[in-house]
mmCIF file with all atom_site columns, all heavy atoms in Angstrom:
data_model
loop_
_atom_site.group_PDB
_atom_site.id
_atom_site.type_symbol
_atom_site.label_atom_id
_atom_site.label_alt_id
_atom_site.label_comp_id
_atom_site.label_asym_id
_atom_site.label_entity_id
_atom_site.label_seq_id
_atom_site.pdbx_PDB_ins_code
_atom_site.Cartn_x
_atom_site.Cartn_y
_atom_site.Cartn_z
_atom_site.occupancy
_atom_site.B_iso_or_equiv
_atom_site.pdbx_formal_charge
_atom_site.auth_seq_id
_atom_site.auth_comp_id
_atom_site.auth_asym_id
_atom_site.auth_atom_id
_atom_site.pdbx_PDB_model_num
ATOM 1  N N   . GLU A 1 20 ? -5.604 13.498 -15.357 1.00 93.00 ? 1433 GLU A N   1
ATOM 2  C CA  . GLU A 1 20 ? -5.983 14.842 -15.823 1.00 93.00 ? 1433 GLU A CA  1
ATOM 3  C C   . GLU A 1 20 ? -5.438 15.906 -14.862 1.00 93.00 ? 1433 GLU A C   1
ATOM 4  O O   . GLU A 1 20 ? -4.894 16.922 -15.292 1.00 93.00 ? 1433 GLU A O   1
ATOM 5  C CB  . GLU A 1 20 ? -7.521 14.883 -15.855 1.00 93.00 ? 1433 GLU A CB  1
ATOM 6  C CG  . GLU A 1 20 ? -8.230 15.547 -17.013 1.00 93.00 ? 1433 GLU A CG  1
ATOM 7  C CD  . GLU A 1 20 ? -7.525 15.608 -18.334 1.00 93.00 ? 1433 GLU A CD  1
ATOM 8  O OE1 . GLU A 1 20 ? -7.050 14.574 -18.860 1.00 93.00 ? 1433 GLU A OE1 1
ATOM 9  O OE2 . GLU A 1 20 ? -7.439 16.733 -18.865 1.00 93.00 ? 1433 GLU A OE2 1
ATOM 10 N N   . ALA A 1 21 ? -5.563 15.630 -13.557 1.00 95.00 ? 1434 ALA A N   1
ATOM 11 C CA  . ALA A 1 21 ? -5.089 16.579 -12.538 1.00 95.00 ? 1434 ALA A CA  1
ATOM 12 C C   . ALA A 1 21 ? -3.572 16.732 -12.614 1.00 95.00 ? 1434 ALA A C   1
ATOM 13 O O   . ALA A 1 21 ? -3.036 17.850 -12.511 1.00 95.00 ? 1434 ALA A O   1
ATOM 14 C CB  . ALA A 1 21 ? -5.506 16.107 -11.145 1.00 95.00 ? 1434 ALA A CB  1
ATOM 15 N N   . VAL A 1 22 ? -2.876 15.602 -12.808 1.00 95.00 ? 1435 VAL A N   1
ATOM 16 C CA  . VAL A 1 22 ? -1.413 15.660 -12.913 1.00 95.00 ? 1435 VAL A CA  1
ATOM 17 C C   . VAL A 1 22 ? -1.015 16.451 -14.148 1.00 95.00 ? 1435 VAL A C   1
ATOM 18 O O   . VAL A 1 22 ? -0.118 17.303 -14.115 1.00 95.00 ? 1435 VAL A O   1
ATOM 19 C CB  . VAL A 1 22 ? -0.797 14.237 -12.952 1.00 95.00 ? 1435 VAL A CB  1
ATOM 20 C CG1 . VAL A 1 22 ? 0.689  14.294 -13.226 1.00 95.00 ? 1435 VAL A CG1 1
ATOM 21 C CG2 . VAL A 1 22 ? -1.057 13.500 -11.647 1.00 95.00 ? 1435 VAL A CG2 1
ATOM 22 N N   . LYS A 1 23 ? -1.730 16.225 -15.267 1.00 96.00 ? 1436 LYS A N   1
ATOM 23 C CA  . LYS A 1 23 ? -1.414 16.957 -16.504 1.00 96.00 ? 1436 LYS A CA  1
ATOM 24 C C   . LYS A 1 23 ? -1.612 18.462 -16.299 1.00 96.00 ? 1436 LYS A C   1
ATOM 25 O O   . LYS A 1 23 ? -0.755 19.263 -16.682 1.00 96.00 ? 1436 LYS A O   1
ATOM 26 C CB  . LYS A 1 23 ? -2.295 16.461 -17.654 1.00 96.00 ? 1436 LYS A CB  1
ATOM 27 C CG  . LYS A 1 23 ? -1.774 16.928 -19.008 1.00 96.00 ? 1436 LYS A CG  1
ATOM 28 C CD  . LYS A 1 23 ? -2.636 16.456 -20.152 1.00 96.00 ? 1436 LYS A CD  1
ATOM 29 C CE  . LYS A 1 23 ? -3.811 17.396 -20.351 1.00 96.00 ? 1436 LYS A CE  1
ATOM 30 N NZ  . LYS A 1 23 ? -4.669 16.958 -21.478 1.00 96.00 ? 1436 LYS A NZ  1
ATOM 31 N N   . ASN A 1 24 ? -2.722 18.830 -15.670 1.00 96.00 ? 1437 ASN A N   1
ATOM 32 C CA  . ASN A 1 24 ? -2.966 20.249 -15.440 1.00 96.00 ? 1437 ASN A CA  1
ATOM 33 C C   . ASN A 1 24 ? -1.891 20.869 -14.543 1.00 96.00 ? 1437 ASN A C   1
ATOM 34 O O   . ASN A 1 24 ? -1.437 21.985 -14.795 1.00 96.00 ? 1437 ASN A O   1
ATOM 35 C CB  . ASN A 1 24 ? -4.362 20.466 -14.838 1.00 96.00 ? 1437 ASN A CB  1
ATOM 36 C CG  . ASN A 1 24 ? -5.443 20.131 -15.836 1.00 96.00 ? 1437 ASN A CG  1
ATOM 37 O OD1 . ASN A 1 24 ? -5.202 20.114 -17.050 1.00 96.00 ? 1437 ASN A OD1 1
ATOM 38 N ND2 . ASN A 1 24 ? -6.642 19.820 -15.353 1.00 96.00 ? 1437 ASN A ND2 1
ATOM 39 N N   . ALA A 1 25 ? -1.485 20.128 -13.520 1.00 96.00 ? 1438 ALA A N   1
ATOM 40 C CA  . ALA A 1 25 ? -0.438 20.623 -12.624 1.00 96.00 ? 1438 ALA A CA  1
ATOM 41 C C   . ALA A 1 25 ? 0.868  20.836 -13.395 1.00 96.00 ? 1438 ALA A C   1
ATOM 42 O O   . ALA A 1 25 ? 1.559  21.844 -13.225 1.00 96.00 ? 1438 ALA A O   1
ATOM 43 C CB  . ALA A 1 25 ? -0.216 19.650 -11.470 1.00 96.00 ? 1438 ALA A CB  1
ATOM 44 N N   . LEU A 1 26 ? 1.198  19.888 -14.288 1.00 96.00 ? 1439 LEU A N   1
ATOM 45 C CA  . LEU A 1 26 ? 2.435  20.008 -15.073 1.00 96.00 ? 1439 LEU A CA  1
ATOM 46 C C   . LEU A 1 26 ? 2.356  21.194 -16.026 1.00 96.00 ? 1439 LEU A C   1
ATOM 47 O O   . LEU A 1 26 ? 3.344  21.920 -16.210 1.00 96.00 ? 1439 LEU A O   1
ATOM 48 C CB  . LEU A 1 26 ? 2.709  18.712 -15.843 1.00 96.00 ? 1439 LEU A CB  1
ATOM 49 C CG  . LEU A 1 26 ? 3.184  17.539 -14.982 1.00 96.00 ? 1439 LEU A CG  1
ATOM 50 C CD1 . LEU A 1 26 ? 3.197  16.246 -15.773 1.00 96.00 ? 1439 LEU A CD1 1
ATOM 51 C CD2 . LEU A 1 26 ? 4.580  17.817 -14.418 1.00 96.00 ? 1439 LEU A CD2 1
ATOM 52 N N   . HIS A 1 27 ? 1.178  21.424 -16.617 1.00 96.00 ? 1440 HIS A N   1
ATOM 53 C CA  . HIS A 1 27 ? 1.038  22.577 -17.514 1.00 96.00 ? 1440 HIS A CA  1
ATOM 54 C C   . HIS A 1 27 ? 1.214  23.877 -16.738 1.00 96.00 ? 1440 HIS A C   1
ATOM 55 O O   . HIS A 1 27 ? 1.847  24.808 -17.224 1.00 96.00 ? 1440 HIS A O   1
ATOM 56 C CB  . HIS A 1 27 ? -0.307 22.527 -18.242 1.00 96.00 ? 1440 HIS A CB  1
ATOM 57 C CG  . HIS A 1 27 ? -0.331 21.523 -19.362 1.00 96.00 ? 1440 HIS A CG  1
ATOM 58 N ND1 . HIS A 1 27 ? -1.384 21.384 -20.226 1.00 96.00 ? 1440 HIS A ND1 1
ATOM 59 C CD2 . HIS A 1 27 ? 0.597  20.612 -19.759 1.00 96.00 ? 1440 HIS A CD2 1
ATOM 60 C CE1 . HIS A 1 27 ? -1.106 20.422 -21.103 1.00 96.00 ? 1440 HIS A CE1 1
ATOM 61 N NE2 . HIS A 1 27 ? 0.072  19.937 -20.835 1.00 96.00 ? 1440 HIS A NE2 1
ATOM 62 N N   . ARG A 1 28 ? 0.686  23.909 -15.515 1.00 96.00 ? 1441 ARG A N   1
ATOM 63 C CA  . ARG A 1 28 ? 0.870  25.114 -14.684 1.00 96.00 ? 1441 ARG A CA  1
ATOM 64 C C   . ARG A 1 28 ? 2.336  25.331 -14.340 1.00 96.00 ? 1441 ARG A C   1
ATOM 65 O O   . ARG A 1 28 ? 2.775  26.452 -14.132 1.00 96.00 ? 1441 ARG A O   1
ATOM 66 C CB  . ARG A 1 28 ? 0.053  25.020 -13.391 1.00 96.00 ? 1441 ARG A CB  1
ATOM 67 C CG  . ARG A 1 28 ? -1.409 25.446 -13.562 1.00 96.00 ? 1441 ARG A CG  1
ATOM 68 C CD  . ARG A 1 28 ? -2.059 25.719 -12.213 1.00 96.00 ? 1441 ARG A CD  1
ATOM 69 N NE  . ARG A 1 28 ? -2.032 24.546 -11.341 1.00 96.00 ? 1441 ARG A NE  1
ATOM 70 C CZ  . ARG A 1 28 ? -2.918 23.542 -11.401 1.00 96.00 ? 1441 ARG A CZ  1
ATOM 71 N NH1 . ARG A 1 28 ? -3.920 23.577 -12.257 1.00 96.00 ? 1441 ARG A NH1 1
ATOM 72 N NH2 . ARG A 1 28 ? -2.832 22.531 -10.576 1.00 96.00 ? 1441 ARG A NH2 1
ATOM 73 N N   . LEU A 1 29 ? 3.115  24.231 -14.266 1.00 95.00 ? 1442 LEU A N   1
ATOM 74 C CA  . LEU A 1 29 ? 4.560  24.337 -14.009 1.00 95.00 ? 1442 LEU A CA  1
ATOM 75 C C   . LEU A 1 29 ? 5.351  24.572 -15.305 1.00 95.00 ? 1442 LEU A C   1
ATOM 76 O O   . LEU A 1 29 ? 6.569  24.430 -15.329 1.00 95.00 ? 1442 LEU A O   1
ATOM 77 C CB  . LEU A 1 29 ? 5.066  23.066 -13.332 1.00 95.00 ? 1442 LEU A CB  1
ATOM 78 C CG  . LEU A 1 29 ? 4.572  22.783 -11.899 1.00 95.00 ? 1442 LEU A CG  1
ATOM 79 C CD1 . LEU A 1 29 ? 4.941  21.368 -11.469 1.00 95.00 ? 1442 LEU A CD1 1
ATOM 80 C CD2 . LEU A 1 29 ? 5.176  23.783 -10.916 1.00 95.00 ? 1442 LEU A CD2 1
#
Side-chain angles (χ1 to χ4, degrees):
Chain A
E1433 222 26 52
V1435 173
K1436 194 180 84 180
N1437 292 339
L1439 287 170
H1440 284 186
R1441 277 196 301 278
L1442 293 169

